[in-house]
């Protein structure tokens, strides 16, 4: 006599043995490629904080960097080690890795059981069955191809976001340094204006200047004080932006930066074939290429499953008159109404869409490269013009005016006006240096392969 329990168990074990395997989900498996990509293109290292030893090492590195005035590179390193939103970005890798594991798994077998009772009496008739979709076996390689391409695209986009965040942090520190220089200069202006007001008061008492001259000088002092206060407020705001980008809190918000913008390099490094370099290293294009590959894989799945989207094979056992009868079971859909036309059309449209996106992105990357190089060139020319021509000219005018004042040919107010014009030019020079370093940072970002988000928002 047939042994039902043992037979059904044997069937179940056989089907389970055909499964693709019990793959585990390692959320950090895709992070290594991202880290290598970033570290090959930037001076910084990246760490994914997951509560292990690397967290303590990252905290120690951040503390050591905060012990000294920050440069733009040091601030970028802190951001990559410490910013929590950036850490949250790495979880996209865990999602993509889980999708890859899921793509390699077969669907679970389905066990069914029923029982019938004769209306006119007699023994009940139990029915047992187990079925497994056999088409899954053929779709697994196609699904894995799509999921692997999606993981590669995610890795490229995460690396792009990391490099972009480092760029934004550098830009934020340059803004802090420019604001610090501006505050220092305005403090000097306010002090000089206060001292000159004392001189004007003395001249007023001596009858050498009029009442309106004194009031004008007092207005200039009050304006200088307001300009200083406004600049101090801007400095606090720029510090807060940098603090958020670095992910600092508590005592960490008391960080200090180098008080001045870096001097410009003596010469610019030659950038041969900039457009070609940008295209070759573009993470955005690499991500889109992977997405095109994924779209192609989906076409393969759509073509394979158009007429037979599902198909189950299994065993069925039925007990009649005390005897178990066992036999195979096959179920297939009849492609009468839905023959997969819509699925194939959608897959084809998505592939063509990604191909158009890739061509558009190629144009945008080339433009970003040219624009970045142009900005560096213009910013360099403007900065050099201020340094080599305007500032020396303003100094010459001030020194000549000082001689004229000592010779009693011009008034103290005329001399003060000349000095203020000189300070205004120095303030513009600070902004010119800042503009240069922002342009240089953007060019470095392009050369590192990150062009997807270059926009005015970089220098908020």
């Amino acid at each position: 006599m047939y042994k039902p329990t043992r037979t059904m168990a044997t069937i179940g074990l056989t089907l389970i043995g055909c499964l693709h395997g019990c793959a585990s989900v390692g959320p950090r498996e895709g992070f290594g490629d991202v880290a290598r990509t970033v570290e090959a293109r930037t001076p910084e290292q990246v760490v994914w904080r997951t509560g292990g030893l690397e967290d303590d090492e990252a905290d120690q590195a951040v503390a050591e960097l905060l012990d000294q005035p920050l440069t733009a590179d040091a601030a970028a390193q802190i951001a990559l080690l410490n910013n929590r939103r950036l850490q949250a970005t790495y979880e996209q890798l865990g999602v993509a890795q889980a999708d890859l594991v899921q793509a390699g798994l077969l669907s679970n077998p389905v066990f069914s059981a029923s029982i019938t009772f004769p209306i006119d009496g007699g023994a009940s008739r139990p029915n047992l069955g187990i079925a497994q979709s056999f088409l899954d076996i053929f779709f697994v390689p196609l699904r894995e191809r799509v999921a692997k391409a999606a993981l590669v695209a995610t890795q490229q986009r995460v690396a792009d976001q990391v490099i972009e965040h480092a760029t934004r942090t550098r830009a934020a520190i340059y803004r802090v340094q420019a604001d610090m220089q501006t505050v220092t200069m305005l403090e000097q202006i306010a002090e000089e204006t206060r001292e000159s007001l004392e001189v004007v008061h003395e001249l007023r008492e001596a009858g050498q200047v009029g009442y309106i001259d004194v009031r004008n000088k007092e207005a200039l002092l009050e304006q200088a004080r307001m300009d200083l206060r406004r600049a101090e407020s801007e400095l606090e705001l720029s510090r807060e932006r940098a603090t958020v980008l670095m992910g600092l809190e508590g005592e960490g918000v008391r960080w200090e930066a180098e008080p001045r913008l870096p001097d410009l390099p003596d010469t610019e490094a030659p950038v041969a074939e900039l457009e070609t370099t940008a295209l070759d290293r573009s993470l955005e294009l690499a991500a889109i290429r992977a997405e095109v590959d994924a779209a192609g894989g989906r076409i393969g799945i759509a073509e394979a499953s158009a007429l037979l989207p599902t198909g189950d094979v299994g065993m069925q056992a039925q007990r009649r008159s005390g005897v178990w009868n066992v036999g195979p079971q096959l179920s297939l859909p009849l492609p009468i109404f839905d023959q997969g036309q819509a699925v194939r059309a959608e897959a084809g449209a998505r592939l063509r869409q990604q191909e158009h996106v890739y061509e558009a992105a190629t144009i945008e990357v080339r433009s970003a490269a040219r624009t970045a190089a142009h900005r560096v060139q213009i910013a360099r020319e403007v900065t050099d013009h201020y340094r080599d021509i305007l500032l020396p000219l303003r100094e010459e005018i001030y020194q000549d005016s000082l001689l004229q004042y000592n010779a009693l040919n011009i008034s103290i107010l005329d001399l003060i006006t000349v000095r203020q014009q000189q300070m205004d030019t120095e303030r513009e020079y600070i902004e010119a240096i800042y503009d240069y370093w922002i342009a240089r940072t953007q060019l470095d970002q392009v050369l590192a392969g990150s062009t997807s988000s270059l926009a005015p928002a970089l220098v908020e």
Side-chain angles (χ1 to χ4, degrees), residues 30-101:
F31 181 72
D33 290 337
V34 172
R36 285 187 289 273
T37 297
V38 173
E39 291 167 10
R41 298 160 183 255
T42 71
E44 290 78 40
Q45 295 182 328
V46 292
V47 171
W48 187 355
R49 291 174 175 266
T50 56
L53 180 60
E54 63 273 6
D55 288 22
D56 296 334
E57 294 174 348
D59 289 338
Q60 182 179 354
V62 169
E64 291 175 356
L65 290 170
L66 290 174
D67 280 342
Q68 51 193 342
L70 296 179
T71 63
D73 286 344
Q77 180 62 84
I78 291 174
L80 297 195
L81 295 175
N82 204 54
N83 184 276
R84 296 299 172 168
R85 286 196 180 275
L86 194 58
Q87 294 293 318
T89 300
Y90 300 150
E91 297 300 335
Q92 298 175 27
L93 300 170
V95 173
Q97 184 68 37
D99 289 341
L100 175 58
V101 172

Side-chain angles (χ1 to χ4, degrees), residues 246-264:
M246 289 187 287
L248 298 174
E249 59 183 348
E251 290 298 318
V253 303
R254 303 182 185 279
W255 57 272
E256 294 294 336
E258 290 285 348
R260 296 179 57 84
L261 287 161
D263 293 331
L264 271 63

Side-chain angles (χ1 to χ4, degrees), residues 1-24:
M1 180 175 291
Y2 183 75
K3 302 295 184 181
T5 304
R6 182 175 180 181
T7 300
M8 295 307 297
T10 301
I11 295 171
L13 290 173
T14 301
L15 290 174
I16 293 173
C18 294
L19 294 175
H20 194 64
C22 297
S24 60

Side-chain angles (χ1 to χ4, degrees), residues 234-255:
E234 288 298 322
L235 174 57
E236 287 301 316
L237 292 176
S238 61
R239 278 184 56 87
E240 284 300 324
R241 284 194 290 268
T243 297
V244 170
L245 288 169
M246 289 187 287
L248 298 174
E249 59 183 348
E251 290 298 318
V253 303
R254 303 182 185 279
W255 57 272

Side-chain angles (χ1 to χ4, degrees), residues 263-332:
D263 293 331
L264 271 63
D266 294 334
T267 58
E268 295 296 331
V271 184
E273 300 179 354
L274 177 61
E275 290 184 40
T276 302
T277 302
L279 289 174
D280 291 341
R281 307 197 79 188
S282 173
L283 296 167
E284 175 71 7
L285 291 179
I288 298 174
R289 283 195 296 268
E291 289 168 350
V292 169
D293 189 23
R298 293 187 185 98
I299 286 184
I301 294 176
E303 293 288 348
S305 63
L307 295 179
L308 289 177
T310 61
D312 297 333
V313 64
M315 301 291 291
Q316 185 177 29
Q318 184 181 64
R319 185 176 183 181
R320 292 184 178 179
S321 303
V323 178
W324 283 94
N325 298 298
V326 180
Q329 176 181 340
L330 176 66
S331 62
L332 295 172

